[in-house]
Each structure stands twice: as structure tokens, then as C-alpha cells.
Amino acid sequence: MEEAAKTYLPGLKVAFAPIAKAFADAKTARAAIAIPAPDPSNIAAALERQEIRAMVRAMSPNERMSFLMGTVDERIVDAVLSAPGVLSGLSDDKFGQLRDQAVERRFGDRVAEIREAEETAEAAQAAMLVARNDIRAATGLDERAFDRFEKKAVITPWLVKEGDRVVKVVPGSTYPAATADEIALGKFYANKDEYLADNPGARLAAAA
């Protein structure tokens, strides 16, 4: 247990930093992929989109999805996606299917890159969980007791935004710039009580 607290659990957390960053980067990359919004000043195009949605809404449910998923006319897809799905007679689920297909068709290569990065990060995360279970088994603790032990052994960095910088809170000291690993592993706590509640070991370290 002493080796777990001093070496293995802190080392495992440091090793997880690039995995956490990979997940965050993939999430940001996915958010950046979106169907462009229409020009609100183009009245003629707005009327055309309205007519397309009315036409799609008049179809039966089976006809509607078959038509939308099979059309190669991007104007039709854009018209439906530029407004709430209900205006075209689509449920949230069907609207999501159409949006996902449009994104895949237009940004296929980029989506494939993001998916590959996510799969790599997921595989790495699975390996980390196996390692954590091995450490827990070696300590002889059950899952709940090990969670408490891990919180005391591994302290989550307390992050704060300072303008364009992210700094780490060190109680009783200055606020140094957070490293890339600390940013990946840290949290933006609202106050000291929240920080100590999440990191019981921090109180022990301060007392020592």
C-alpha cells in the first residue's frame, strides 16, 4: 500500500494525462465540425428552405426518411437541418441520423481521423483501468476503500483561469503556471472546501 501511494497511483495518474488530453482534443474537433448556418439576409433562399421543409413534412414517415437519406441535393438536407426537426416532421432521433449522415458525407476524412483518435484513447484508457485494478488487487482493498485510498494518495491539481493563462493553486504560496499534465488532470474548483472534499489527502499533506 505504501508503494501504491508513493509510486504506482501517482505514476498512473501522470500516465493518464495524454489520454485525457486526447479525449478533450477529439471532443473539441467534433464540436468544430458543423453544417454551416444559412445566410439570414438571403430572403429568397429562406423562402426556398421553408418550401422544402413543408414538402418534406407532407410526406409519410417512411417516405420522409427514405427521401432525406437518399437525396444527393444538399439544398434539401441543408433546409431541413437549418431549422428544428419538428418543422420537417422529424423526431429528434431521425433528425440526428440525418445530421450525422450529412457530417459523415461532407467531412468523412476528418471524422475518420477523430474516430481513430478516440478509439486509440479508449484502448489506452482500458489498459489504464486494468493497471488500476491490478494495483487495487495488490493492496487487498475493496473498490470503495480503494477509492478513498486513491483520493488521499493522488491529489487533483486545483486550476484557476488568470486571463489567458491557466495556473495551479498552491495554498499558502504563489500561483505557478499549470503544466500540460496538470491541465489535463486538474479541475476548476469553486473554493477550498470543494477542493478538500474531492482531495482528502490535501488536508493531510497540509497538516504534515
Side-chain angles (χ1 to χ4, degrees), residues 12-22 180-182 184-185:
L12 195 68
K13 189 160 189 176
V14 170
F16 183 70
I19 301 174
K21 185 176 185 304
D181 285 351
E182 288 168 343
L185 297 171

Side-chain angles (χ1 to χ4, degrees), residues 64-72 77 94 97-99 101 105:
R64 187 180 301 129
M65 281 308 293
S66 177
F67 171 71
L68 290 175
M69 299 298 277
T71 185
V72 294
V77 175
K94 298 299 184 183
Q97 289 181 27
L98 180 65
R99 182 189 58 233
Q101 178 182 272
R105 187 165 57 212

Side-chain angles (χ1 to χ4, degrees), residues 10-139:
L12 195 68
K13 189 160 189 176
V14 170
F16 183 70
I19 301 174
K21 185 176 185 304
F23 278 122
D25 288 347
K27 184 177 181 180
T28 300
R30 278 196 178 277
I33 297 177
I35 305 298
D39 179 5
S41 64
N42 192 333
I43 304 301
L47 292 173
E48 180 183 73
R49 291 193 299 272
Q50 189 175 18
E51 289 180 5
I52 291 173
R53 289 192 293 269
M55 176 192 71
V56 171
R57 188 171 60 246
M59 297 178 179
S60 70
N62 289 336
E63 289 176 334
R64 187 180 301 129
M65 281 308 293
S66 177
F67 171 71
L68 290 175
M69 299 298 277
T71 185
V72 294
D73 192 333
E74 299 293 359
R75 293 175 302 173
I76 293 174
V77 175
D78 286 347
V80 173
L81 296 179
S82 65
V86 67
L87 295 182
S88 299
L90 295 178
S91 64
D92 290 343
D93 181 54
K94 298 299 184 183
F95 186 83
Q97 289 181 27
L98 180 65
R99 182 189 58 233
D100 290 346
Q101 178 182 272
V103 169
E104 184 79 32
R105 187 165 57 212
R106 300 181 196 186
F107 309 100
D109 292 343
R110 184 66 183 128
V111 171
E113 290 176 5
I114 296 171
R115 188 178 296 122
E116 183 178 357
E118 289 172 335
E119 290 173 354
T120 301
E122 288 166 0
Q125 183 181 48
M128 299 294 288
L129 291 175
V130 170
R132 181 184 181 279
N133 285 334
D134 287 345
I135 296 170
R136 185 193 63 76
T139 65

Side-chain angles (χ1 to χ4, degrees), residues 13 22 44 58 84 87 97 106 146 149 164 166 169 176 188 191 193-194 197 200 205:
K13 189 160 189 176
L87 295 182
Q97 289 181 27
R106 300 181 196 186
F146 187 74
F149 174 72
D164 294 333
V166 175
V169 176
F188 292 90
N191 51 54
D193 289 340
E194 185 179 317

